């Protein structure tokens, strides 16, 4: 194992945010869920003890004599925010002074970097280009990601859980965000940073990036595996396969939603429009890992091939 190669990748100034991402995202996810579980335990305790509910201040920490029941914005909140701003400013100054990240030479069309990688916050999109048509990976999917995050509050309209951390009342939103952001998006950023090497080939962490490496892997479309060559036949075949996936994924998600009592409550509160929107975005989000596995395991490039778009 070439640990020097791994350290070279991790120590690049452009990759420092990804290294921090690997620690910061799990930590704050755990920290937020810890507070949510503590609030859920407190709510259950107050529901089971009406006498305690009348006197408890509804904070996880027990109330102590001498504490003010009302905390004013000035000076308490603003003082904390001012200190936080100073600390972040100091961190950014030390970061900019310590890490040498100069601008590179002007773009030269006769000499292309290998690998040529986007900034870390766009690496997920660049990794998606491996599995989807450029129009899908560069325009359609990013737009759906943004819109999907915006519609979550309009799908999960539970009136409880507003203004405090809770897992019990926000299972759908939390699990959807964790799967979409941490499992999918962060994973693709890590893959694009640590695993994709010269020629955007797959190099496991610790292996040497060989610029002369050649991989003879035939990527074929799904209709080609069945001997379908005609344009119209490919369009019809791909439409049938994609339609079968949409139907199967929709049924599976419906069963998952109605499996638990909590999700049945969410389902009962939904209108037809809310349910259709939720199913649409969940089925599309599930298509990303499905397409990744199909590409990596079976070397299938596209499922549905048309003159206008490819899926």
């Amino acid at each position: 194992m070439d640990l020097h190669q791994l350290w070279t990748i991790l120590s690049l100034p452009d990759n420092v945010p990804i290294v921090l991402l690997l620690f910061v995202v799990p930590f704050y996810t755990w920290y937020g869920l810890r507070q949510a579980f503590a609030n859920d335990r407190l709510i259950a305790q107050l529901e089971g003890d009406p006498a305690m509910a009348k006197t408890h201040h509804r904070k996880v920490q027990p109330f102590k004599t001498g504490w003010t029941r009302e905390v004013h914005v000035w000076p308490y909140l603003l003082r904390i925010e001012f200190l936080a701003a100073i600390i972040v400013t100091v961190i950014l100054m030390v970061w900019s002074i310590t890490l040498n990240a100069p601008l590179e030479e002007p773009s030269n069309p006769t000499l292309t970097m290998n690998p040529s990688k986007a900034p870390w916050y766009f690496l997920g999109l660049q990794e998606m280009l491996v599995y989807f048509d450029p129009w899908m990976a560069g325009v359609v999917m990013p737009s759906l990601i943004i819109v999907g995050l915006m519609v979550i509050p309009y799908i999960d309209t539970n009136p409880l859980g507003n203004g405090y951390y809770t897992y019990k009342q926000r299972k759908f939103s939390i699990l959807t965000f964790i799967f979409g952001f941490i499992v999918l998006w962060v994973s693709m950023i890590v893959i694009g940073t640590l695993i994709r090497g010269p020629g955007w080939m797959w190099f496991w962490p610790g292996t040497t990036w060989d610029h002369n490496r050649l991989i003879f892997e035939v990527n074929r479309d799904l209709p080609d595996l069945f001997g379908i060559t005609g344009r119209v036949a490919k369009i019809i075949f791909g439409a049938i396969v994609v339609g079968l996936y949409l139907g199967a994924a929709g049924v599976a998600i419906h069963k998952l939603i109605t499996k638990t009592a909590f999700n049945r409550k969410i389902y009962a509160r939904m209108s037809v429009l809310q349910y259709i929107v939720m199913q649409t975005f969940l089925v599309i989000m599930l298509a990303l890992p499905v397409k990744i596995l199909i590409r990596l395991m079976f070397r299938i490039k596209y499922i549905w091939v048309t003159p206008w778009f490819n899926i």
Side-chain angles (χ1 to χ4, degrees):
M1 178 176 290
D2 190 354
L3 296 180
H4 177 71
Q5 176 71 49
L6 180 60
W7 172 250
T8 301
I9 299 172
L10 295 176
S11 60
L12 289 175
D14 291 342
N15 293 342
V16 171
I18 292 93
V19 178
L20 295 177
L21 188 75
L22 296 177
F23 295 96
V24 172
V25 170
F27 171 76
Y28 281 106
T29 302
W30 164 82
Y31 191 77
L33 289 176
R34 188 189 70 164
Q35 183 65 46
F37 291 140
N39 289 339
D40 291 340
R41 288 192 297 267
L42 175 61
I43 293 173
Q45 185 179 4
L46 295 178
E47 290 177 347
D49 190 349
M52 181 181 178
K54 294 180 181 179
T55 59
H56 198 277
H57 68 300
R58 288 175 173 77
K59 299 286 185 180
V60 177
Q61 299 83 5
F63 184 81
K64 295 182 180 180
T65 305
W67 282 9
T68 56
R69 292 184 177 273
E70 295 182 358
V71 180
H72 299 281
V73 173
W74 174 263
Y76 304 105
L77 179 60
L78 290 181
R79 181 172 57 191
I80 295 175
E81 292 178 346
F82 181 67
L83 291 176
I86 293 177
I87 293 173
V88 171
T89 302
V90 171
I91 293 175
L92 292 178
M93 290 180 62
V94 174
W95 189 337
S96 61
I97 294 173
T98 305
L99 296 179
N100 183 24
L103 293 176
E104 298 180 358
E105 63 181 10
S107 177
N108 186 355
T110 63
L111 181 62
T112 304
M113 294 178 58
N114 189 13
S116 180
K117 295 187 177 182
W120 67 270
Y121 41 84
F122 284 141
L123 274 180
L125 297 179
Q126 190 171 358
E127 179 64 18
M128 286 172 60
L129 288 170
V130 179
Y131 313 103
F132 291 93
D133 184 86
W135 168 252
M136 292 291 176
V139 179
V140 177
M141 297 294 285
S143 301
L144 292 177
I145 292 173
I146 296 173
V147 177
L149 293 174
M150 294 168 60
V151 302
I152 287 179
Y154 299 97
I155 294 175
D156 185 3
T157 57
N158 183 12
L160 301 177
N162 292 328
Y164 62 93
Y165 287 92
T166 174
Y167 174 75
K168 183 178 179 181
Q169 301 296 338
R170 285 287 180 262
K171 287 182 180 180
F172 173 78
S173 300
I174 292 175
L175 294 178
T176 302
F177 180 80
I178 288 177
F179 178 74
F181 177 69
I182 298 179
V183 177
L184 296 181
W185 189 250
V186 174
S187 297
M188 288 192 296
I189 292 177
V190 173
I191 291 174
T193 303
L194 303 180
I195 297 180
R196 292 296 183 180
W200 208 253
M201 290 184 289
W202 191 285
F203 290 86
W204 289 107
T207 58
T208 303
W209 283 10
D210 184 4
H211 288 73
N212 297 319
R213 177 186 177 188
L214 296 176
I215 299 179
F216 298 96
E217 294 177 341
V218 179
N219 293 318
R220 294 178 294 179
D221 300 327
L222 184 62
D224 297 334
L225 297 179
F226 293 88
I228 302 175
T229 57
R231 174 181 293 183
V232 177
K234 285 186 175 182
I235 295 175
I236 296 174
F237 177 79
I240 294 174
V241 174
V242 173
L244 291 175
Y245 161 76
L246 295 177
V251 172
I253 293 174
H254 177 76
K255 290 184 177 180
L256 181 64
I257 291 174
T258 58
K259 185 177 181 180
T260 63
F262 180 84
N263 288 332
R264 283 197 294 268
K265 293 179 180 178
I266 296 178
Y267 175 69
R269 288 194 300 264
M270 284 185 176
S271 64
V272 176
L273 179 60
Q274 286 176 317
Y275 183 75
I276 293 175
V277 172
M278 181 199 65
Q279 277 278 27
T280 301
F281 281 99
L282 289 181
V283 168
I284 294 175
M285 183 172 63
L286 185 62
L288 178 58
V290 170
K291 185 64 187 301
I292 291 176
L293 291 177
I294 290 176
R295 179 64 181 273
L296 295 178
M297 296 176 61
F298 304 104
R299 313 307 307 176
I300 295 176
K301 186 176 182 180
Y302 294 129
I303 306 296
W304 190 3
V305 181
T306 72
W308 311 281
F309 62 86
N310 299 311
I311 296 178

